[in-house]
Amino acid sequence: MSDIRKPESSAGVSRPLVIAGPCSAESREQLLSTAVAVAEAGVKIFRAGLWKPRTKPGGFEGVGAAGLEWLREVREQTGMKILTEVATPSHIEQVMKINPDLLWIGARTTTDPFAVQAIADALKGIPIPILVKNPLSAEIDLWSGAVERLSNAGVASIGLIHRGFSTYEHKSYRNAPLWHIPMEMKRRFPSISLLCDPSHMGGSRALIAPICQQAMDLMYDGLMIETHINPNEALSDKAQQITPAELKLILQNLIIRENSKEIEGIGAFRSEIDELDDELLKVLSRRMQISKEIGEYKKQHNIPVFQKERYGEIIQSALLKAKDMGLDEEFVRSIIEAIHRESVRIQLPPGGLNVI
Ligand code: PEP
Ligand code: MN
């Protein structure tokens, strides 16, 4: 459908495309009451999980096919489009009985190329838009691979949902955003629509609004927000679901900044940045040339490539200067480390093990 694959998000006046609804369909009553309130908040597309992939056994695994009729009723009563998650060809076969308007593939499924291929094969000849969530791990090729598998199977309308990436340590986000990964997906697939799922990314109600705003400022096309008529009683993802009234407020308060002719005002700054970036590259190239010559010298005189003291000095002196120059220490440390790593790499013999 054209609303999922748009030529240019910034050209559209309809940002954000909003999908809302509960994490899981729990009962007919819960689904319909949530749907009526969500439609009242202005939402046009309704989500609900029927088959719930749970990381650990024992949790609520969804009502399955029993919820199909309820979803159909939602569409009939509210006029909203409906979608659910599919993870197997059997889910697709069952859900097609109610002709959903869209489908989504969950993060756990995107992680598994066999599962994605099975879904792609099952979708052959079915003209339905598919939204692909990012995989659990920060492996961009799994995400773009899923898009390619679907596209190769003839799925004409594909969108992306960025829901963040699992990390071993749990910090303020449930799933680390790693915003550069969806940005790279936009570079690989310029015409694909990109939605943000602040619910699974943030994992808590307080983070929904700021993440939505950030996604809008990064020119995302849409948002998928878990919304429940009574979040405190939700059978899954309780901490991150918001009420329809909260959803309405968040959407009303979003500031949508579109590109306008004022963008011309930053042209001069951009030229200066381009020049500085060129200079940075020239300096890096000169630095690596010298590293190469040092490497030759070390080789001739049997000196080891890695010099611990020298590395410590370089980092310490850069951090001191960074402070004076008002630069963030962690930022400078990561740049110096990357430069040093590259210097060591080019000094190691070709084909040798790079142990750094
Ligand atoms: C969901 O949307 O309810 C869900 C299970 O999400 P994810 O695949 O992002 O974990
Ligand atoms: Mn959920």
Side-chain angles (χ1 to χ4, degrees), residues 125-201:
I126 304 180
I128 187 166
I130 312 292
L131 298 171
V132 186
K133 286 203 174 194
N134 66 254
L136 293 178
S137 59
E139 213 170 324
I140 191 168
D141 287 341
L142 280 174
W143 202 4
S144 65
V147 171
E148 283 168 41
R149 286 177 197 279
L150 293 166
S151 178
N152 291 346
V155 177
S157 183
I158 302 170
L160 303 173
I161 303 178
H162 173 213
R163 48 79 81 198
F165 301 87
S166 294
T167 48
Y168 180 64
E169 286 167 67
H170 282 273
K171 298 218 173 125
S172 39
Y173 289 86
R174 178 178 172 192
N175 290 293
L178 308 182
W179 297 99
H180 59 284
I181 295 182
M183 295 298 118
E184 170 61 14
M185 284 294 280
K186 278 297 269 186
R187 197 193 59 76
R188 292 186 189 185
F189 305 101
S191 67
I192 217 163
S193 285
L194 176 61
L195 280 69
C196 178
D197 169 348
S199 313
H200 292 89
M201 185 180 289

Side-chain angles (χ1 to χ4, degrees), residues 23 47 52 85 104 106-108 133 163 200 226:
C23 176
R47 63 152 278 155
K52 298 304 298 176
E85 173 175 349
W104 89 81
R108 286 158 193 78
K133 286 203 174 194
R163 48 79 81 198
H200 292 89
E226 285 191 341

